[in-house]
Amino acid sequence: MEVDTEAVRDSGHVPGPGAESGLAAGLRVAVGRVTRRLRQAHAVGDLSLSEVSVLARLAGEGPGSPSALAETERVRPQAMATTLAGLTRRGLVRRTPDAADGRRSIVAVTEEGRAVLAQRRSASVRRLEAVLDEFSAQDRAALAAAVPLLERLAERL
């Protein structure tokens, strides 16, 4: 699917060449608003975004060491330790000794963690679906085309 970037640019949604800082600022604001609004839809005391991110990573990529998780999540080991402690306390992840190096531990998502993650995703997806139903087919196609770019952007930040 090809997006008419000239039409989008003319609409004021995409800065022209040389306005990268405007695009960066616009992305930061828009993505921040979407994130906040989705976060606000969840109950007080629910998982933090950091906890959800770690659960999703463990569910998708499999078990890992706390240091590897800290590196891939781009947080300090101390912050990861806090996140993992909360997830462990709730029974959403479990730690086991590393068979290759008994000084290290390996963290894996539990079935309860998978269930919580699926439930949270379902609520967010339902909310997004309801709003996207109000968008035109062309707008939905433009958003669909942007998803791989946003994923690539997130990985490079």
Side-chain angles (χ1 to χ4, degrees):
M1 202 238 50
E2 181 114 359
V3 175
D4 182 354
T5 55
E6 287 300 318
V8 174
R9 184 176 295 121
D10 292 343
S11 72
H13 289 53
V14 175
E20 287 82 11
S21 63
L23 174 59
L27 279 169
R28 185 190 59 76
V29 170
V31 170
R33 283 182 182 157
V34 170
T35 301
R36 275 192 308 281
R37 301 246 166 90
L38 287 173
R39 188 183 319 143
Q40 289 166 351
H42 295 285
V44 173
D46 199 5
L47 298 175
S48 70
L49 289 179
S50 296
E51 290 171 325
V52 171
S53 183
V54 169
L55 273 182
R57 188 170 299 278
L58 289 170
E61 298 176 8
S65 70
S67 59
L69 286 167
E71 185 177 323
T72 57
E73 290 289 314
R74 296 188 178 148
V75 298
R76 289 184 295 204
Q78 298 86 346
M80 183 55 64
T82 301
T83 298
L84 291 173
L87 291 170
T88 302
R89 195 171 34 256
R90 291 183 182 132
L92 304 179
V93 300
R94 72 176 175 285
R95 290 176 181 251
T96 56
D98 185 340
D101 182 351
R103 298 170 295 174
R104 290 180 16 167
S105 64
I106 299 296
V107 182
V109 66
T110 63
E111 286 307 311
E112 185 178 347
R114 288 182 193 283
V116 166
L117 188 59
Q119 180 182 23
R120 184 179 174 106
R121 281 183 180 154
S122 294
S124 293
V125 167
R126 283 192 305 273
R127 185 163 182 196
L128 283 166
E129 286 173 339
V131 173
L132 287 170
D133 282 346
E134 301 170 11
F135 283 54
S136 71
Q138 184 177 3
D139 286 344
R140 287 193 306 273
L143 286 168
V147 170
L149 294 172
L150 291 170
E151 287 289 339
R152 195 168 81 202
L153 179 66
E155 289 301 318
R156 296 194 59 161
L157 287 175

